[in-house]
Amino acid sequence: MSTVTRAYLDQRLAAAKRCSKEAAMAGAKAAAVATVAAAVPTLASVRMLPWAKAHLNPTGQALIISTVAGMAYFIVADKTILSMARKHSFEDAPEHLKNTSFH
């Protein structure tokens, strides 16, 4: 059984903080893009389509736009965290597992 040093734990904690910060930034960027991408057609349809004008009040419009932004944030943040975890777990893998060639 190996012992875990304080320096190793500090290094892992720093990596986790860096990963979560990067994921939050990527999620925020995706949410900003998704907000614009959802707001333009939503607001345009309310002005041009009679059904949307009759059935989508400002609360409904805000709900559509914020739902798209929230989904984009969490999907991108989750994918970022998973990809970074996969990359870091591969770095810590034993040498015989890193060789992925089939020759």
Side-chain angles (χ1 to χ4, degrees), residues 2-73:
S2 64
T3 59
V4 178
T5 63
R6 173 94 176 161
Y8 176 78
L9 291 176
D10 288 342
Q11 180 184 13
R12 298 299 286 181
L13 181 61
K17 286 181 180 180
R18 188 174 54 253
C19 290
S20 63
K21 183 176 181 179
E22 187 174 326
M25 289 301 295
K29 289 177 186 177
V33 171
T35 298
V36 173
V40 171
T42 301
L43 297 175
S45 66
V46 168
R47 296 202 183 272
M48 294 182 215
L49 300 174
W51 181 89
K53 188 180 286 189
H55 291 93
L56 292 177
N57 61 14
T59 304
Q61 296 168 34
L63 185 61
I64 291 169
I65 295 167
S66 63
T67 301
V68 170
M71 288 188 330
Y73 176 84

